[in-house]
């Protein structure tokens, strides 16, 4: 079966790229990828920007000429290619509304809070402690909301996996892999149980093997701080070499006094 299109962007360390690929795995759909894609190089080329002016990835180029830019929209489109009765989509207007509700929650509430918690620690944006702490508070608040929702649920909508579960689980990957320690995970037992259930699915494992966080990622030094540390290190290296000279000078002075 020919690919329905190509998802363009880095194929590793990019949870947004995983969404559509996991959906394709669930449904047995052929979706081409770009394993040689170079971030901040290929997405800044004129031919890329002519189609996708924002320069963001992943993007989708359909075999039928369709171009899409949002990772959740791409995943939703891929899910629709299994037909109107696609098992990952809503079977009624009510189910579809619930699915959209959780997609919007994941993208508009949870993901910005996760990004604010982690991106400065990972060096993507400047580290400002109060801002990072505020984002962590928001992140934990939304995880608490989700924990309450999942108290008596295995999946978000009905008794089966839907596109909402795939998107949410992918959005949770970053915080579960880089920030939430075992003690943190105990605070959100229902979310943790849900997350483990999702990432253990064969469709997930075919795309990404998830390893839970052992130790939180720590703040990366800014370029200015790194330069200061480098100067201090060089200064410290010089001191041992200077000490023998000082001792020799002192000994000479003692000899002269005698």
């Amino acid at each position: 079966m020919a690919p329905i299109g190509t998802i363009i962007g880095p194929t590793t360390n990019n949870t947004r790229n995983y969404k559509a690929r996991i959906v394709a795995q669930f449904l047995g759909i052929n979706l081409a990828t770009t394993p040689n894609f170079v971030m901040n190089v290929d997405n800044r080329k004129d031919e890329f920007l002519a189609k996708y002016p924002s320069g963001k990835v992943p993007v989708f180029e359909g075999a039928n000429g369709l171009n899409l830019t949002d990772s959740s929209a791409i995943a939703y489109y891929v899910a629709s290619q299994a037909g109107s009765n696609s098992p990952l989509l809503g079977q009624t207007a009510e189910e579809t509304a619930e699915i959209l509700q959780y997609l919007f929650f994941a993208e508009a509430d949870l993901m910005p809070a996760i990004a604010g918690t982690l991106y400065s620690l990972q060096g993507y944006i400047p580290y400002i402690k109060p801002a990072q702490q505020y984002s962590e508070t928001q992140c934990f608040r939304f995880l608490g909301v989700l924990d309450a929702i999942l108290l008596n649920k295995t999946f978000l909508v009905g008794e089966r996996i839907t596109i909402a579960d795939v998107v949410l689980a992918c959005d949770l990957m970053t915080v579960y892999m880089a920030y939430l320690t075992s003690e943190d995970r105990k605070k959100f037992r229902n979310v943790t149980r849900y997350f483990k259930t999702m990432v253990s699915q064969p469709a997930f494992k075919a795309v990404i093997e998830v390893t839970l966080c052992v130790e939180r990622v720590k703040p990366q030094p800014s370029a200015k701080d790194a330069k200061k540390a480098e100067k201090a290190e060089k200064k410290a290296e010089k001191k041992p070499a200077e000490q023998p000279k000082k001792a020799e000078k002192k000994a000479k002075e003692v000899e002269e006094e005698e």
Side-chain angles (χ1 to χ4, degrees):
M1 181 174 66
I4 63 166
T6 304
I7 184 163
I8 301 171
T11 55
T12 59
N13 300 320
N14 192 307
T15 58
R16 292 187 177 279
N17 184 286
Y18 300 154
K19 295 175 186 178
R21 292 163 58 197
I22 290 167
V23 167
Q25 288 289 332
F26 268 114
L27 301 174
I29 289 172
N30 190 353
L31 180 65
T33 61
T34 55
N36 296 320
F37 187 93
V38 180
M39 187 65 180
N40 294 326
V41 176
D42 292 333
N43 56 315
R44 291 183 179 176
K45 291 179 179 177
D46 291 341
E47 56 268 32
F48 184 94
L49 295 173
K51 288 183 178 179
Y52 312 103
S54 72
K56 293 182 178 181
V57 291
V59 296
F60 175 79
E61 285 190 5
N64 59 1
L66 175 68
N67 293 327
L68 293 172
T69 59
D70 180 83
S71 60
S72 294
I74 296 167
Y76 199 97
Y77 174 75
V78 173
S80 74
Q81 296 309 288
S84 58
N85 292 321
S86 171
L88 295 183
L89 299 182
Q91 301 303 305
T92 65
E94 290 75 18
E95 280 189 351
T96 299
E98 282 191 271
I99 287 171
L100 292 175
Q101 167 186 264
Y102 290 118
L103 290 180
F104 297 151
F105 167 75
E107 296 297 288
D109 294 326
L110 184 60
M111 198 56 209
I114 291 174
T117 301
L118 279 169
Y119 284 4
S120 64
L121 300 180
Q122 295 170 324
Y124 296 124
I125 59 176
Y127 176 71
I128 302 171
K129 190 173 182 179
Q132 191 275 334
Q133 289 176 331
Y134 174 77
S135 292
E136 183 197 77
T137 300
Q138 290 295 93
C139 177
F140 282 13
R141 182 169 80 85
F142 290 130
L143 286 174
V145 169
L146 189 57
D147 203 63
I149 290 169
L150 291 167
L151 177 61
N152 296 309
K153 288 187 173 188
T154 303
F155 306 114
L156 291 171
V157 181
E159 299 301 322
R160 59 187 171 85
I161 292 173
T162 66
I163 183 72
D165 297 300
V166 175
V167 168
L168 183 63
C170 285
D171 284 346
L172 286 170
M173 279 183 193
T174 308
V175 74
Y176 265 89
M177 294 175 75
Y179 201 75
L180 297 180
T181 63
S182 59
E183 287 303 307
D184 295 321
R185 295 192 292 270
K186 288 175 185 176
K187 299 172 187 175
F188 310 108
R189 293 182 184 276
N190 300 321
V191 183
T192 299
R193 181 237 325 140
Y194 166 81
F195 181 71
K196 287 181 176 179
T197 299
M198 289 302 302
V199 299
S200 67
Q201 301 296 317
F204 272 80
K205 286 181 171 290
V207 175
I208 172 71
E209 284 285 348
V210 171
T211 302
L212 296 177
C213 174
V214 176
E215 184 180 359
R216 281 184 180 179
V217 62
K218 292 181 172 58
Q220 299 297 310
S222 65
K224 187 177 179 181
D225 290 338
K227 200 170 183 180
K228 280 183 182 178
E230 188 180 347
K231 282 183 179 179
E233 190 177 334
K234 285 181 179 177
K235 193 174 180 182
E237 286 174 357
K238 286 180 182 177
K239 283 184 179 179
E242 291 172 357
Q243 284 174 357
K245 290 182 181 179
K246 287 181 180 179
E248 188 180 331
K249 186 179 178 183
K250 192 171 182 181
K252 192 175 180 181
E253 287 173 355
V254 170
E255 285 175 8
E256 288 173 355
E257 287 174 4
E258 291 175 350

